[in-house]
Amino acid sequence: MGTQAIVSTRNGSTKDDQHDEEKRAPLRAKVVGIGRAFGGALIFSLPMLMTMELWWLGFMLDRFRLAMLVVVTLPLLVGLARRIGFEDTWDWQEDVRDACVAFAIGLLTATVVLSVFKVIGPGMSFDEVIGKIVLQAIPASIGALLGRSQLGNEGGESDKENAETASSTTPMRDYGGEMFLMAVGALFLSLNVAPTDEMPMIAQMMTPTHAVLLLALSLLVMHGFVYAVGFKGSALPTNDEPWISDFVRFTLVGYMLAILISLFVLWSFGRLDGEAILPTVMTTIVLAFPAALGAAAARLIL
């Protein structure tokens, strides 16, 4: 009887432990997801957090343009949360919630780092502090959602990713999703370099011939990244269609997205104010080079 009681006690304890473990699993997953979000926010936004031009833009940038940047960023965060958020979600309400959490993490990350760097602090106006934090929170919030993709995921792909993969039936099943990822990559990388003085400086040094060559190089490198080099995650051309079809549908359309996003970012940062058409075109082509690389890379890593 004593032995049976001990076994029974041990079995009961084991079942309780398993029950407790099952209850703790969702909480642990959330904590890990939030931790990755903070890590992603810090890693991906640190170059911008340490860029003087962005400090000044946070203070001087027209508040309407800053608001437009936020308005454009929030839907991108929702879509990014839908695809690779820092925890599994199954409906749009959860995606909106995760996007808001990611932006809050971006705000907190920017606040802490800028405070430690003494970029913000006592004696500054409320408008200046908020402007610097919000501007830096935009790339930080994108980085928060990229944390899951870049910093790993226990056990391989998530259940949502497995379900989406299992539901795919054709190579063109998610053309809109491909374009969305390219837009996110283009926006993120263009935010890194658009505020710097080197963008208009390079545009001034270049001739129209250089601009055409840079445009061609952007398309070549962009197409090579995704199709020719064979990086992990690259989408190889289909056998039943000529390469020009994939070039037009993905590379060319992706580059046009990079151009449009470059124009928007340059306008947001006031880089096109008072500029004639030719300097505007030249500066846009210059910024579209890193934006195109960001668009191509996003398809490989997200």
Side-chain angles (χ1 to χ4, degrees):
M1 291 291 294
T3 303
Q4 291 179 350
I6 293 173
V7 172
S8 176
T9 301
R10 287 177 178 175
N11 289 341
S13 178
T14 301
K15 290 180 180 179
D16 290 341
D17 291 343
Q18 290 176 347
H19 181 66
D20 292 341
E21 185 68 24
E22 289 175 356
K23 291 173 64 177
R24 287 194 297 265
L27 178 60
R28 182 183 298 113
K30 288 183 180 296
V31 171
V32 171
I34 295 297
R36 285 181 180 151
F38 273 106
L42 183 60
I43 292 172
F44 284 91
S45 66
L46 193 57
M48 285 163 277
L49 287 166
M50 302 180 73
T51 300
M52 183 177 62
E53 287 90 348
L54 273 170
W55 304 343
W56 282 105
L57 279 171
F59 172 58
M60 301 175 61
L61 187 62
D62 178 77
R63 291 311 182 236
F64 172 75
R65 300 190 188 195
L66 179 59
M68 287 299 297
L69 268 175
V70 174
V71 167
V72 170
T73 300
L74 289 177
L76 290 180
L77 292 178
V78 174
L80 205 54
R82 183 70 175 174
R83 297 185 66 91
I84 58 165
F86 46 81
E87 66 173 356
D88 288 328
T89 58
W90 300 96
D91 56 52
W92 284 106
Q93 289 81 4
E94 293 184 347
D95 296 327
V96 171
R97 178 203 65 192
D98 279 2
C100 293
V101 170
F103 196 76
I105 289 173
L107 290 171
L108 181 58
T109 302
T111 301
V112 171
V113 175
L114 292 178
S115 298
V116 171
F117 289 163
K118 207 179 178 182
V119 176
I120 58 174
M124 296 183 181
S125 67
F126 178 79
D127 181 71
E128 178 181 357
V129 172
I130 291 299
K132 289 180 178 179
I133 292 174
V134 170
L135 183 59
Q136 297 283 0
I138 294 173
S141 61
I142 297 175
L145 287 173
L146 294 180
R148 176 182 183 135
S149 174
Q150 296 304 296
L151 302 183
N153 183 36
E154 289 102 334
E157 293 182 332
S158 67
D159 293 336
K160 183 171 72 170
E161 289 167 338
N162 288 331
E164 290 177 350
T165 301
S167 65
S168 61
T169 56
T170 64
M172 287 298 293
R173 64 176 174 85
D174 198 15
Y175 181 78
E178 295 281 343
M179 294 300 105
F180 169 77
L181 289 181
M182 295 179 87
V184 172
L187 175 63
F188 183 81
L189 202 54
S190 63
L191 285 173
N192 277 266
V193 295
T196 64
D197 293 333
E198 284 76 10
M199 290 298 102
M201 184 182 302
I202 293 173
Q204 290 174 6
M205 293 189 299
M206 291 172 55
T207 66
T209 301
H210 289 95
V212 172
L213 291 175
L214 182 59
L215 190 154
L217 179 62
S218 301
L219 289 171
L220 178 63
V221 174
M222 191 178 185
H223 191 74
F225 252 64
V226 182
Y227 296 103
V229 179
F231 286 142
K232 177 182 177 181
S234 61
L236 298 178
T238 55
N239 294 327
D240 56 343
E241 295 182 4
W243 70 269
I244 191 66
S245 176
D246 291 306
F247 177 83
V248 171
R249 289 182 301 175
F250 290 101
T251 305
L252 192 58
V253 173
Y255 184 73
M256 293 306 300
L257 277 174
I259 287 286
L260 292 175
I261 289 171
S262 298
L263 271 171
F264 172 72
V265 172
L266 288 170
W267 170 81
S268 299
F269 290 157
R271 290 296 186 184
L272 304 180
D273 294 352
E275 294 286 351
I277 294 179
L278 183 58
T280 297
V281 171
M282 299 284 281
T283 307
T284 303
I285 291 175
V286 171
L287 182 59
F289 180 59
L293 293 181
R299 295 190 64 209
L300 305 181
I301 64 178
L302 300 185

